[in-house]
Amino acid sequence: MPQGNPTYIPDDGLTTRARRNLPVLAVHTGDGKGKSTAAFGMALRAWNVGLDVAVFQFVKSAKWKVGEEAAFRQLGRLHDEQGIGGAVEWHKMGAGWSWTRKSREAGSDVDHAAAAADGWAEIARRLAAQRHQFYVLDEFTYPLKWGWVDVDDVVEVLFARPGHQHVVITGRDAPRRLTEAADLVTEMTKVKHPMDVGRKGQQGIEW
Amino acid sequence: MPQGNPTYIPDDGLTTRARRNLPVLAVHTGDGKGKSTAAFGMALRAWNVGLDVAVFQFVKSAKWKVGEEAAFRQLGRLHDEQGIGGAVEWHKMGAGWSWTRKSREAGSDVDHAAAAADGWAEIARRLAAQRHQFYVLDEFTYPLKWGWVDVDDVVEVLFARPGHQHVVITGRDAPRRLTEAADLVTEMTKVKHPMDVGRKGQQGIEW
């Protein structure tokens, strides 16, 4: 249970109310399970209070599909049809983002580096336009690690994002500049995993 | 992204299919964020494939309410009314479990130790009866730590649970006997938290 008592009161000239309402940049990293799952759990919480949620999955395969995607599409439908919760958009790099047909037409020859850069450019545009209120950039540390997206540009855009937009970034090996810029950093450490003893992933648990 | 390759194939006489379908006991522990959030994220995934989900929150206050509770009630409604996803039950210790009026009538004088023991006894009954398919025992390590519920009894019941019932347990300081019995143990480590620098929790992020 979170404790409501901060360890010290910062000398930042903000009222408690203003400080309470600061947008959050969270990073879930480490080699353990739960980085994405916890990010989607946060998105569930955001949806519940009516925030506009957008998920961007930086995954290579279009076939890669987690149960959360289907569940969030249902939640988005509850918003659209019954006005419950927040709006939901779910975008996946896969063989091409939904807003561009370019890479999708290229089929399996898709340039992942270019697709990742396109994804980030779109996110930067949406942040500037305050299009959403809660962003999940799932597996986004990989394009950063591989140099497909520039870390300094990401940190700069995130730091300067206007309004009240929360951003959660997941993935192993989060770059130090990113974790330094983040408000909340959690490392998920694998202590024990069924696959270590030869068990297989299964529907409803792993995806 | 999970890797589908186990590090070795165990000599347990099970086929890959049988091994794939083993029920999972997962523990989320550590002092970082995301233990419960990731458990609810797993429950979302389970709901999506139609599993019967039951959440038991071992929290002291009846007022303590996370956004996930409201969201899962909506998901349960989608199941009940439209046949989408799995059934959902959400129980909270608070001032008394929903299946007993005893402690609720006692008001603020509720005996948390007895309530926790009642909660576990009910869960053990449901496991024996295979009542649900996916159980979240949220903040359950605390009654274990405080000796309100016997760890050996818990491990024995979980180990002997029939059928194909997944169980996820969350909370700091998970007892060693529990993590030894678990298939999947993840430790959430706090690297950085906004409250450390005097920021307050906020709706949609912390609850």
Side-chain angles (χ1 to χ4, degrees):
Chain A
M1 285 173 263
Q3 304 297 317
N5 303 316
T7 42
Y8 79 101
I9 305 297
D11 185 23
D12 55 11
L14 292 173
T15 62
T16 298
R17 187 182 179 84
R19 205 176 298 114
R20 180 184 286 271
N21 287 321
L22 287 176
V24 169
L25 171 61
V27 175
H28 295 175
T29 191
D31 65 353
K33 300 286 294 178
K35 293 185 289 292
S36 301
T37 310
F40 298 141
M42 288 175 77
L44 189 63
R45 217 172 257 194
W47 172 86
N48 181 62
V49 296
L51 300 188
D52 182 303
V53 173
V55 176
F56 301 84
Q57 290 195 290
F58 286 78
V59 292
K60 285 188 188 176
S61 170
K63 288 179 201 156
W64 174 256
K65 194 169 179 180
V66 291
E68 288 93 337
E69 179 178 347
F72 270 96
R73 290 196 189 283
Q74 293 296 341
L75 293 170
R77 203 167 61 82
L78 275 177
H79 172 266
D80 298 343
E81 293 176 6
Q82 300 181 36
I84 297 169
V88 177
E89 284 191 25
W90 194 289
H91 301 288
K92 206 161 39 173
M93 193 169 79
W97 299 102
S98 52
W99 60 78
T100 166
R101 300 196 52 187
K102 187 176 55 178
S103 24
R104 255 191 296 183
E105 282 162 4
S108 59
D109 293 330
V110 60
D111 180 345
H112 293 302
D118 283 351
W120 167 246
E122 175 70 16
I123 292 164
R125 275 190 296 272
R126 292 184 181 209
L127 284 167
Q130 302 187 51
R131 171 90 167 262
H132 309 286
Q133 294 167 295
F134 192 98
Y135 299 72
V136 178
L137 278 51
D138 188 39
E139 311 276 10
F140 186 53
T141 60
Y142 301 97
L144 294 176
K145 186 179 172 181
W146 297 324
W148 295 349
V149 174
D150 182 63
V151 180
D152 288 328
D153 177 50
V154 168
V155 169
E156 198 175 310
V157 167
L158 289 173
F159 201 76
R161 72 192 190 278
H164 194 258
Q165 304 177 90
H166 302 294
V167 181
V168 185
I169 295 174
T170 80
R172 297 184 184 205
D173 304 321
R176 193 184 173 87
R177 276 166 293 173
L178 181 64
T179 57
E180 282 172 355
D183 306 299
L184 171 63
V185 180
T186 304
E187 183 160 328
M188 277 70 171
T189 310
K190 182 180 76 170
V191 178
K192 194 197 276 185
H193 193 285
M195 288 180 192
D196 293 340
V197 291
R199 285 172 63 172
K200 294 273 196 170
Q202 57 185 313
Q203 194 189 28
I205 294 293
E206 300 289 337
W207 64 87
Chain B
M1 286 171 262
Q3 305 297 318
N5 303 315
T7 43
Y8 78 102
I9 305 298
D11 185 25
D12 55 11
L14 293 174
T15 61
T16 297
R17 187 183 177 83
R19 203 175 300 115
R20 181 183 286 270
N21 287 321
L22 287 175
V24 168
L25 171 61
V27 174
H28 295 176
T29 192
D31 65 353
K33 301 286 295 177
K35 295 185 289 292
S36 300
T37 310
F40 298 141
M42 289 176 74
L44 189 63
R45 216 172 258 195
W47 173 85
N48 181 62
V49 297
L51 300 189
D52 182 303
V53 172
V55 176
F56 301 85
Q57 290 195 290
F58 285 78
V59 292
K60 284 187 187 176
S61 170
K63 289 179 201 156
W64 175 257
K65 194 168 178 181
V66 290
E68 289 92 338
E69 179 178 347
F72 270 96
R73 290 196 190 283
Q74 294 295 342
L75 293 171
R77 202 167 61 82
L78 275 177
H79 171 266
D80 299 342
E81 294 175 7
Q82 301 180 36
I84 298 168
V88 177
E89 284 191 25
W90 193 289
H91 301 288
K92 205 160 40 172
M93 194 169 78
W97 298 102
S98 52
W99 60 80
T100 166
R101 301 194 51 186
K102 189 176 55 178
S103 24
R104 254 190 298 180
E105 283 163 3
S108 59
D109 294 331
V110 59
D111 179 345
H112 293 303
D118 282 351
W120 166 247
E122 175 70 15
I123 291 164
R125 276 191 295 272
R126 291 183 182 209
L127 285 166
Q130 301 187 50
R131 171 90 166 262
H132 309 286
Q133 293 167 295
F134 192 98
Y135 299 71
V136 178
L137 278 51
D138 188 38
E139 312 276 9
F140 186 54
T141 59
Y142 300 98
L144 294 176
K145 185 180 173 179
W146 297 324
W148 295 348
V149 174
D150 182 62
V151 180
D152 288 330
D153 178 49
V154 168
V155 169
E156 198 175 310
V157 167
L158 289 173
F159 200 77
R161 72 191 189 281
H164 193 258
Q165 303 177 91
H166 302 295
V167 181
V168 185
I169 295 174
T170 79
R172 296 184 185 205
D173 304 322
R176 194 184 173 86
R177 277 166 292 174
L178 181 64
T179 57
E180 282 172 354
D183 306 299
L184 170 64
V185 180
T186 305
E187 184 161 328
M188 276 70 170
T189 309
K190 181 180 76 168
V191 177
K192 194 197 277 185
H193 193 282
M195 289 181 191
D196 294 340
V197 290
R199 285 172 63 172
K200 296 272 197 168
Q202 57 185 313
Q203 195 188 29
I205 294 293
E206 300 289 337
W207 64 87

